[in-house]
Each structure stands twice: as structure tokens, then as C-alpha cells.
Amino acid sequence: MPFKNRITDMLGVEVPLVQAPMGWIARSQLASAVSNAGGLGIIETSSGELDAVREEIRRMRELTDKPFGVNIAQAFVRDPDIVQFVIDQGVRFVTTSAGNPERYTQQLKSAGLTVFHVVPSLSAALKAVEAGVDGLVVEGGEGGGFKNPRDVSTMVLLPLVRSRVDVPIIAAGGFIDGASMAAAFALGAEGVQMGTRMVSAAESPVHQNWKAAIVNARETDTVFLNRKYSPALRALRTEKTTRLEDQPDVNAMTEFGTALDLYFGGDMEASIALTGQVAGRIDAVRPVAEIIDEVKAEFFATIEKLSKQYL
Ligand SMILES: Cc1cc2nc3c(=O)[nH]c(=O)nc-3n(C[C@H](O)[C@H](O)[C@H](O)COP(=O)(O)O)c2cc1C
């Protein structure tokens, strides 16, 4: 059975499953695997390495003829011409995150791009709609990455936002399979975004130690840091992050260390491994195509089972 809704139409994808933008990780190797499997790969810009990003977008066009998008994580933007940079790359779909939706939306839309803004609260969602975005990524606090210090779970946030806006919603935070995707659709989403699941996928470029740590993690093995500061963040429990969890007066960003030594060097104490609670449900490193095929099959099996049971 095919998916058909506003997200598949707007993004031009077969499966309304978006791979999360993630600094250094969301590059062509991972993103092309997702796009080729029918989802939407996203290329990051949060690394700030725009020359590398330009090259990754060029490689995407060699690796796939399917649609893909770009993310602008506003808090990490160093180049004042980031919007023109994104427009120049010829991509059609952009997510903006970690910042004011009024800042880039109109400029991006005037250039013909479809713009979704990532929101962690109802007020942020209403502000983004007011700014004219085409859709929202509604992200619960169980997800990995930088977060609003006042975190709200996807289960609460998604139906709340759905009840107050009409634009299409991609749900993020806690999604790894067809059953959780069906739950998101029941709560009003028309697509899901997966971060932690994609960090641990076979095509993810991160070191085996991070993937193994995700596979071995229990659902209690993430920490929520920096509640007193901004950005807050959710990360894998390690010696370093457990210590920071016990020191709420220390700004964890001052101890972020060298991300690349962790990401690609495999030293799990060198930095902070942004990871969501759903790591507790991931039990194997698997190829993206296998993950997406299984999500599709399980999504339709779930709604069929529910409808048979209750209708
Ligand atoms: C390692 C990592 C890096 C991330 N970097 C970004 C980013 O650059 N921009 C952004 O909008 N979100 C970023 N996020 C958040 C993800 O886009 C996504 O919404 C989140 O991971 C979803 O929750 P999940 O981890 O439960 O799937 C990051 C998440 C992770 C795990």
C-alpha cells in the first residue's frame, strides 16, 4: 500500500520518513541511503563547514536522483549568507531549527523553497505558522540533540500542536519503527523524523563505539543536560555526561570537548554523544533500506491490526 498525504506530496517522497539533520553525520553517505530507500535525506549545515557541505550536496546528486533537503540550525550559523548559500545549492526543501522562524522563512519561500520549522512547544509552533512556514517538525524532549530547556514529550506536544495548527507536521523524538510511526499519525503527524535511529544505521559515518553504545543502551541511558542554560541537550550516558548531570550549575557547553574525536575517533569521553531515549529500543546496527522497508511494512500492519480489532 502506498503512503499518500501532504508530506509525501510536498517532499516528493514515497515514504514520509525524514532522516534528521545532524552535524557532520547527516552527509551524503547517510542521506543518499535514506533518499534512495524512499525517505528524505537531509544534509546538515550545523558543522559550519560550508565548503564541505557544498561538496556533499554535489555528491548527493551523483548518489541519488531522489529528493533531499538541507537544514539550517540557526543557533550554529556563522555565515551571514547562509540562506543564499542554501538557495544557490538548488535544494527544494529546508528545515530551519534552533532559532526565530521569522528570520529566514520569507527569504527562503520567496526563492521557491518549502520551509518546515522545528518546534519544541506550542508557542513556538504558533509563532512559526505566523511567520508563514509550510509545515512544522514537532520535536519532543525525548529526542537526541540540542533541546529547549523546558522539554515536553512527543506524546504531549504533538497532539497539542495538532489541535491548534493546520499545517502538516513531521513528528520527531522517539521514532524508530512502523508502530511508533503509526502512533505519530494517530496523534496528527503526517511524517516522522529519525535521529538516533539514523546515527546507529550501517551507513552512518560515526565510529563503531557510538553505534555499539546505542545498541547497548537501556532506555534510562541518556541524560538531559543544561536545564539552566540554553541550549539544553539530550545525550548518551557516559562518565562525563553522568558527572555533568550531577553538576546542574556547570554549563555543559563549556565541557563539550572535541566532537570529532568522539564522532569519528570513537573516544566516548572526548565529547557529548547527542542521542535520544529511543536508543533503549535499538538493538542492532542495520542498513537504512532494511530499516525503511520494515517501517513501511510495520506501519501498515499496525493500522490494519488496529482497524480489524476495533472496527
Ligand atoms: C547527533 C545528533 C545531532 C543533531 N543535530 C541536529 C542539527 O544539526 N539540527 C537539527 O535541527 N536537529 C539536530 N538534531 C535533532 C534531530 O534532528 C532529531 O529531531 C532528533 O534526533 C529526533 O529524536 P530521536 O533522536 O529520538 O530520533 C540532532 C540529533 C542528534 C542525535
Side-chain angles (χ1 to χ4, degrees), residues 3 15-17 171 174-187 189-194 197-198 278 281-282 286 288-306:
F3 284 99
V15 188
L17 189 163
F175 298 103
I176 56 160
D177 57 8
S180 53
M181 184 178 187
F185 278 45
L187 297 174
E190 291 172 62
V192 292
Q193 173 166 289
M194 295 185 188
R197 174 53 122 179
M198 294 300 172
V278 79
R281 296 194 61 212
I282 294 172
R286 298 175 58 200
V288 165
E290 208 176 286
I291 293 170
I292 295 186
D293 281 351
E294 192 179 277
V295 166
K296 268 194 294 193
E298 196 187 26
F299 174 87
F300 289 112
T302 301
I303 54 175
E304 192 187 359
K305 185 171 145 207
L306 286 171

Side-chain angles (χ1 to χ4, degrees), residues 110-126:
S110 302
L113 280 82
T114 300
V115 181
F116 275 48
H117 191 68
V118 182
V119 296
S121 66
L122 176 61
S123 61
L126 297 176

